[in-house]
Amino acid sequence: MNLTLLRIILGVLGLVPIFIGVTGMFSGLERLVPGCEFSPDSDGQYRYLSAIYLGFGVLILWIQSRLASEVPLLRILMAMVFVAGVARALPLVTLGFPRTPVLIALVFELVFPPVVVYWHAIAVKAETALPTPKS
């Protein structure tokens, strides 16, 4: 469990919200439900949230090279993903199960953040425990 592998995984996974954010900003709700009409309010809200998603992905890419020094920010970002997963899970109680891609995202949002926080804590502790080479 080292920081290098975690950096690679975060780098790859940081591209997902960037892609979803950019496509959502420029295509709007039409991308999700082609052929339907949407109010300017709902389409604008979707594009707004897509921009936030884009920003989240950029932050993940920015933080990946600073994992040892940006512990609080990484934990905040992972908490955001986890809380979003909880919010996504709420309709399970009232509306039932979503489509498979959404269910996969839900499982990812509830499992991945605690794993990353745990992995990060162990990796940073191990890295700081290593003896520094003498010059």
Side-chain angles (χ1 to χ4, degrees), residues 16-37:
V16 173
I18 289 173
F19 174 77
I20 292 170
V22 168
T23 56
M25 282 173 51
F26 291 105
S27 65
L29 281 168
E30 175 70 22
R31 178 176 77 88
L32 295 180
V33 190
C36 289
E37 275 192 42

Side-chain angles (χ1 to χ4, degrees), residues 32-108:
L32 295 180
V33 190
C36 289
E37 275 192 42
F38 301 100
S39 72
D41 295 345
S42 58
D43 190 65
Q45 182 68 13
Y46 178 76
R47 290 173 194 260
Y48 169 83
L49 293 173
S50 293
I52 290 176
Y53 219 57
L54 168 64
F56 179 86
V58 169
L59 268 175
I60 291 292
L61 291 185
W62 179 82
I63 201 173
Q64 82 176 97
S65 63
R66 298 162 178 80
L67 287 178
S69 62
E70 295 292 344
V71 175
L73 181 55
L74 179 68
R75 290 184 180 174
I76 289 168
L77 293 173
M78 291 300 105
M80 288 171 58
V81 173
F82 185 81
V83 170
V86 170
R88 191 190 299 266
L90 293 175
L92 291 173
V93 177
T94 58
L95 300 173
F97 279 84
R99 295 173 295 125
T100 301
V102 176
L103 194 57
I104 291 169
L106 169 64
V107 170
F108 179 80

